[in-house]
Amino acid sequence: MREHDDVAAFIERIVADAGIADDGRREDLRRELRAHFEDAGGSPEAVREAMRRFGAEGRIAASLRDVHRADPLVASPTWTTWLGGVFQDLRFGARMLRRSPGFSVVAILSLTLGIGATTAVVGWIEGILLRPFPLVAAQDRLVAIAGTNRGAPGSDDVSWPDFLDLRRRSTLFDAFIAEKITGTTLSIGDRAERVPGSVVSANYFDALGVHPILGRGFEPGEDAGRNAHPVAVISYQTWMERFHGDPGVVGKSQMLNGLPHTIVGVAPEGFNGTFVGYAFQFWVPASMQPQHLDAGEYKLEDRGARWIEGFARLLPGVTIQQAQAEISAIADRLEGEYPATNRGRGIRLFPLWQTPFNNAGALLPTLAVALAVVVCVLLIACANVSNLLLVRAFARQHEMTVRLAIGAGRRRLVRQLLTEGIILSAIAAAGGLLLAEWGRNALALLTPPRGGVSLSLPAAFDWRVVAMSAGLCLVSTLLFGLVPAVTASGVDLTGALRAHSGGIGGARGRFGVRSSLVLVQVSLSFVLLVGAALLVQSLQGVRSASPGFSTARVLTTGINLFTAGYDSQRARHFEDELIDRVRSIGGVESAAFARLTPFTYRNYSSAPIAVDGYNAPPDRQPTASYNEIGPGYLATMGIPLVSGREFTRDDDESAPPVAVVDETMAKEFWRGADPIDKRLQVRGRWMRVVGVARAAKYRNLLETPAPFFYVPLGQSFSSQVALLVRTAQSPASFAAPLVREIHAIDGNVAPSEIITMREQVRRTTASQRIAVTILGAFGGVALVLAAIGLYGVMSSTVSQSRRELAVRMALGAGARDLVRLILSQGLMLTGLGLAIGAAAALALTRLMGYLLYNVSARDPLAFGSAFTVTVLACLAACGLPAWRAMRTDPLPALRS
């Protein structure tokens, strides 16, 4: 009888302290609690054991008060109280997170990393591929225009006459826009600085929907004629930095490439032009092409001179497939009308994210890999947080039990736990946006300057990216919160109230769910590590590969005499004197001029060719690229001659035209025969082949071999040249004597950036280097998260198995046996995760083919290294729980 009075008093104290005002709900709680004590049995020992298991009455009352305050809808949910319930959920969720600061910090940091990385990559895709041109209207209808050569890979530029014909004859476009990146040289002390700009069609600003804030854009007709309209629109940055925001800048002159240009307008702030990566400082009309491109060579009337990098805007409702069909039909007609220049030529349209002539096309594979990587990291982070929530849900089983006991539905519990998840992911999304904003220019930091001009590759965080981040917040909540919420709501009410040591859904069920999440983490991190290992090998292969010329002990810089106002005769004298002076500098082994150096951002000359004895297919026009080089170029670059000779100073404009072809060209057009003394026609001029050079790489290490040849700089003169010097000196130590010799001839001329050819080659591997950095960094983060998840599972297993471990020790099991038991469970999870990850990696790494250089997507070294790193990390994650198991004291564990 006394036990009955004790139970009644115990129940009344709990109900009184719970703070429940409704009499009906108070009586429901009394009946529920009495029923559980009756199920425990009537003996005094049974009642005391039931009280001990049920918990301290103060803790129960506190739980009931929390539930009552947070759960006004447990008995009678109505629409009038729904909104209040939502706010109560939010307040209760925030309070629960504050009570577990360690859990909250780890969960928020994991999600912040996943959401922030994903937001940053999506911002890069938005700002570089999808909508790369700020302030430009209707970018979703813009397409890039490029030329193709039948039978040849890749694409090239379009000639100005062809561009005009496309604009006149098409009906599915509302604008055609021509542009070509260029620059002007500004001498600053002992160095010449290049400022990027663009040669454009007259409709450029109007067609893009960009309106100058001062003055005007270009007028119709200003893109016709030879140097006919020396006018310019300058950027907002140039206006502020060089003209200090002068409102009267329109009408003033600015020296561009040695010629005064009248400023007619100032572009709006934020408009950087239409070439991804470069912030243009000025724009000039196409009539100024001879002054700004190719040092005076006039190309506006030459259908065979291809230099236009253009865009077109589709009419609303027109698909790119429909537009391509019309453009291809026009190209076919041009081929029939102008066979001498257009045989085998076609026109192809590209969406902006595949633009072939700027950094968009180059970064597309890298950003695609980055997106896949950050999605994997987000999934791993969600799995990690889900595991944390499962542990936390087990710790909160008493709270869930009490809430169910006083009438809360399981759906209500799921909603409360998901609300807590939304709070976590919302905080993480805000942190992720800050993290993404902090790293918005990270790609530019990993991308070296091109031509002395730093690239700008910022992410774009417009409303689309913010909306995506909000979507990630909701999706991640479902990913990491749904399984723990459903598991926690599945409480066995009677068993949980009877035994505090019982599990939510059973220990085996919890272990199975958590183990599955760890399998996801281990397998995804293994895939990322394999990808990183493949890219590291690829990058090492790229850096160690021979481009066909020397990269060590060769320096390169630029000399622009055209912008200094030199005519061709003065420029020849300057170059001849300078090359003699440079060769006399101590430590210089050889030196030479060339119009271009390999692996530069400028385009080689290209032209249709004819070869004696070679009959081209009737639907193709043989085309080859070439470089204009001075005497000693091949020796200075370390390009060996297979046969014949190199050019000399006697190969000048008064001598018969000559050429040196490379091995690829010799094999394609002479088919094994010796081409020495054979004839080659270029631009209507016949040349005699005097040498065959070893084939080399000319644009990048991944290019497909194509015919290439050289012509003497003395017979195709250029006053804008590259200087190459073979020397053991560093760029820094060579700069002073070089400037001294240049200034000895003319104090107004300065060289551009001086770098090694090794650095020149390295700069073209930026996309591989970015991919390696992203995969390596996030692969490491993913592995750490996976190891934390595995540690959490094994640690929880040890904690929940203390009695089992104690029994084993009481029966004679040693410390080694316990360690072996724990490690075997951890390694079993690791092995399953590795098996799943290996299968996924075999399928997914094939998609990285573009970024891999001389490395198989199934390279055993990459898989082996990823396997080793993953196993070591997982052994470390299992080591601490195993050590804890080894130190288990059996007596306290058996008594508990």
Side-chain angles (χ1 to χ4, degrees):
M1 195 67 179
R2 180 184 172 190
E3 289 77 15
H4 178 77
D5 292 339
D6 289 342
V7 168
F10 183 81
I11 290 174
E12 286 303 318
R13 286 196 298 272
I14 292 174
V15 173
D17 291 341
I20 301 175
D22 183 75
D23 292 338
R25 292 173 62 188
R26 289 165 64 93
E27 185 57 36
D28 289 340
L29 178 59
R30 291 190 187 96
R31 284 197 298 269
E32 187 70 33
L33 295 175
R34 279 197 297 267
H36 288 293
F37 275 102
E38 290 169 2
D39 289 341
S43 68
E45 293 79 7
V47 170
R48 283 194 294 273
E49 179 65 14
M51 282 183 166
R52 188 188 66 79
R53 288 184 177 181
F54 202 89
E57 59 187 85
R59 180 155 56 88
I60 296 175
S63 297
L64 288 170
R65 284 194 298 271
D66 281 343
V67 171
H68 179 62
R69 286 195 298 267
D71 228 345
L73 310 182
V74 290
S76 56
T78 65
W79 283 107
T80 58
T81 56
W82 181 85
L83 188 59
V86 169
F87 286 116
Q88 290 283 0
D89 283 345
L90 291 172
R91 284 196 295 269
F92 181 72
R95 187 163 61 249
M96 296 303 296
L97 295 178
R98 284 198 303 271
R99 288 182 180 178
S100 306
F103 156 79
S104 301
V105 169
V106 173
I108 289 172
L109 286 179
S110 297
L111 290 174
T112 296
L113 182 63
I115 294 176
T118 307
T119 302
V121 172
V122 172
W124 289 333
I125 291 174
E126 176 80 5
I128 296 172
L129 301 182
L130 301 181
R131 292 171 182 83
F133 309 131
L135 306 184
V136 173
Q139 293 187 58
D140 56 322
R141 292 193 281 122
L142 271 183
V143 293
I145 303 173
T148 61
N149 198 3
R150 192 175 295 124
S155 60
D156 59 10
D157 297 338
V158 179
S159 70
W160 181 257
D162 282 350
F163 176 80
L164 295 180
D165 282 331
L166 292 175
R167 185 166 65 183
R168 282 192 296 262
R169 301 185 186 190
S170 64
T171 62
L172 299 180
F173 303 83
D174 63 11
F176 278 79
I177 306 155
E179 76 150 12
K180 180 65 175 182
I181 185 173
T182 184
T184 188
T185 302
L186 301 175
S187 294
I188 302 176
D190 293 338
R191 175 174 69 85
E193 179 187 6
R194 292 288 289 177
V195 176
S198 185
V199 178
V200 300
S201 54
N203 69 333
Y204 182 80
F205 290 99
D206 291 338
L208 295 177
V210 175
H211 306 290
I213 57 173
L214 290 177
R216 61 174 177 85
F218 301 121
E219 295 179 346
E222 285 187 334
D223 54 8
R226 183 193 296 262
N227 287 342
H229 302 280
V231 295
V233 173
I234 61 173
S235 70
Y236 183 88
Q237 179 183 351
T238 299
W239 179 51
M240 296 301 294
E241 292 180 357
R242 298 187 181 276
F243 295 94
H244 309 291
D246 179 10
V249 70
V250 173
K252 292 187 176 182
S253 291
Q254 170 69 43
M255 292 294 291
L256 300 175
N257 274 12
L259 182 70
H261 287 61
T262 301
I263 298 173
V264 297
V266 177
E269 183 178 9
F271 178 68
N272 298 320
T274 47
F275 198 100
V276 172
Y278 289 90
F280 289 159
Q281 301 302 303
F282 68 93
W283 295 263
V284 296
S287 63
M288 301 306 297
Q289 171 267 320
Q291 184 72 22
H292 290 272
L293 301 171
D294 303 303
E297 183 181 354
Y298 184 63
K299 295 183 176 181
L300 267 64
E301 297 175 0
D302 186 353
R303 196 173 289 273
R306 300 179 178 95
W307 59 278
I308 294 295
E309 297 169 341
F311 297 92
R313 178 177 285 113
L314 306 175
L315 287 171
V318 174
T319 66
I320 193 171
Q321 292 79 13
Q322 293 170 331
Q324 181 65 67
E326 182 183 64
I327 286 290
S328 296
I330 297 173
D332 290 341
R333 292 197 293 272
L334 292 176
E335 181 180 7
E337 295 170 10
Y338 306 100
T341 57
N342 287 51
R343 182 152 52 99
R345 297 285 302 174
I347 302 293
R348 184 179 170 189
L349 304 179
F350 294 86
L352 288 185
W353 52 274
Q354 286 183 325
T355 301
F357 49 75
N358 61 31
N359 292 295
L363 288 174
L364 173 60
T366 301
L367 291 178
V369 168
L371 182 61
V373 168
V374 294
V375 168
C376 288
V377 171
L378 179 61
L379 291 174
I380 291 171
C382 289
N384 215 36
V385 175
S386 188
N387 258 331
L388 291 172
L389 285 174
L390 279 172
V391 173
R392 191 163 175 271
F394 174 64
R396 293 174 62 186
Q397 66 167 335
H398 195 78
E399 172 203 333
M400 302 302 166
T401 302
V402 172
R403 296 182 69 169
L404 287 172
I406 63 172
R410 299 186 190 276
R411 184 181 302 176
R412 186 72 173 88
L413 293 185
V414 170
R415 196 183 89 180
Q416 175 60 52
L417 293 174
L418 284 179
T419 300
E420 295 177 20
I422 288 176
I423 295 173
L424 283 175
S425 57
I427 297 173
L433 281 173
L434 292 176
L435 181 64
E437 174 64 27
W438 176 76
R440 67 182 302 162
N441 290 308
L443 287 186
L445 298 178
L446 297 173
T447 306
R450 300 293 299 273
V453 178
S454 298
L455 296 187
S456 175
L457 298 168
F461 296 122
D462 56 15
W463 65 268
R464 300 174 187 85
V465 177
V466 174
M468 185 281 306
S469 182
L472 281 179
C473 173
L474 295 176
V475 170
S476 58
T477 300
L478 293 177
L479 287 175
F480 72 74
L482 195 57
V483 171
V486 171
T487 304
S489 68
V491 177
D492 178 6
L493 185 59
T494 301
L497 283 172
R498 287 178 177 173
H500 180 61
S501 60
I504 300 177
R508 181 171 301 181
R510 279 193 310 277
F511 184 80
V513 173
R514 297 188 63 198
S515 298
S516 299
L517 294 173
V518 170
L519 289 179
V520 171
Q521 293 177 283
V522 172
S523 59
L524 288 177
S525 60
F526 179 77
V527 171
L528 296 183
L529 289 176
V530 169
L534 288 173
L535 286 175
V536 168
Q537 289 188 66
S538 177
L539 187 60
Q540 291 175 342
V542 166
R543 290 179 173 176
S544 62
S546 172
F549 53 83
S550 297
T551 60
R553 303 176 64 230
V554 177
L555 305 181
T556 179
T557 185
I559 306 292
N560 195 332
L561 300 176
F562 181 75
T563 59
Y566 276 63
D567 58 27
S568 60
Q569 191 63 34
R570 287 184 62 212
R572 287 177 191 273
H573 290 312
F574 184 100
E575 290 177 8
D576 288 343
E577 184 176 355
L578 178 61
I579 203 69
D580 290 337
R581 285 176 172 270
V582 170
R583 288 170 179 167
S584 67
I585 295 175
V588 171
E589 300 174 22
S590 64
F593 283 118
R595 193 179 75 85
L596 292 179
T597 54
F599 292 63
T600 185
Y601 72 100
R602 295 172 60 197
N603 294 332
Y604 286 104
S605 300
S606 179
I609 62 172
V611 176
D612 265 350
Y614 177 80
N615 296 317
D619 62 340
R620 296 185 184 180
Q621 172 65 62
T623 302
S625 297
Y626 62 93
N627 194 10
E628 300 89 340
I629 62 174
Y633 171 85
L634 296 178
T636 301
M637 287 293 294
I639 300 175
L641 275 170
V642 177
S643 61
R645 67 173 177 86
E646 195 172 348
F647 303 135
T648 67
R649 282 195 175 183
D650 293 333
D651 295 312
D652 57 19
E653 56 188 353
S654 62
V658 293
V660 172
V661 301
D662 75 350
E663 287 179 302
T664 303
M665 187 167 181
K667 288 179 182 178
E668 180 167 337
F669 294 105
W670 285 277
R671 307 194 178 188
D674 187 1
I676 300 298
D677 289 331
K678 300 296 193 301
R679 292 199 311 163
L680 166 69
Q681 187 186 54
V682 182
R683 299 185 185 276
R685 185 173 64 162
W686 286 98
M687 304 177 177
R688 183 172 62 90
V689 177
V690 297
V692 178
R694 188 80 70 194
K697 301 291 186 180
Y698 306 104
R699 297 172 181 84
N700 59 72
L701 286 166
L702 303 180
E703 69 184 11
T704 303
F708 194 90
F709 64 100
Y710 305 91
V711 298
L713 192 59
Q715 295 179 349
S716 184
F717 185 74
S718 175
S719 55
Q720 182 178 348
V721 293
L723 173 65
L724 297 113
V725 181
R726 176 173 289 275
T727 179
Q729 298 183 56
S730 68
S733 62
F734 184 71
L738 175 61
V739 170
R740 183 181 66 244
E741 297 300 337
I742 291 175
H743 283 181
I745 306 172
D746 187 342
N748 295 318
V749 177
S752 61
E753 180 186 28
I754 304 174
I755 61 172
T756 64
M757 283 305 301
R758 188 187 303 279
E759 174 64 15
Q760 185 97 314
V761 173
R762 190 189 72 86
R763 289 179 176 184
T764 64
T765 64
S767 58
Q768 286 90 351
R769 190 164 58 254
I770 291 171
V772 166
T773 303
I774 291 174
L775 258 178
F778 288 121
V781 169
L783 184 62
V784 170
L785 291 176
I788 291 173
L790 181 59
Y791 165 77
V793 168
M794 300 315 302
S795 180
S796 176
T797 301
V798 170
S799 297
Q800 296 173 28
S801 305
R802 291 180 67 242
R803 289 178 62 87
E804 175 189 346
L805 296 175
V807 170
R808 287 176 180 270
M809 295 179 71
L811 295 176
R816 290 186 177 181
D817 298 318
L818 298 183
V819 171
R820 189 182 305 113
L821 174 66
I822 300 302
L823 289 180
S824 64
Q825 293 186 19
L827 290 178
M828 179 186 68
L829 282 177
T830 302
L832 287 174
L834 289 173
I836 297 171
L842 288 172
L844 295 176
T845 51
R846 291 179 298 176
L847 304 177
M848 299 169 56
Y850 179 85
L851 293 171
L852 300 182
Y853 179 77
N854 287 343
V855 178
S856 169
R858 299 183 176 183
D859 180 72
L861 180 60
F863 278 77
S865 58
F867 175 85
T868 302
V869 171
T870 305
V871 170
L872 290 177
C874 292
L875 280 175
C878 297
L880 184 58
W883 180 76
R884 285 175 51 204
M886 183 178 64
R887 294 174 59 86
T888 299
D889 188 347
L891 292 179
L894 288 172
R895 291 195 189 104
S896 62

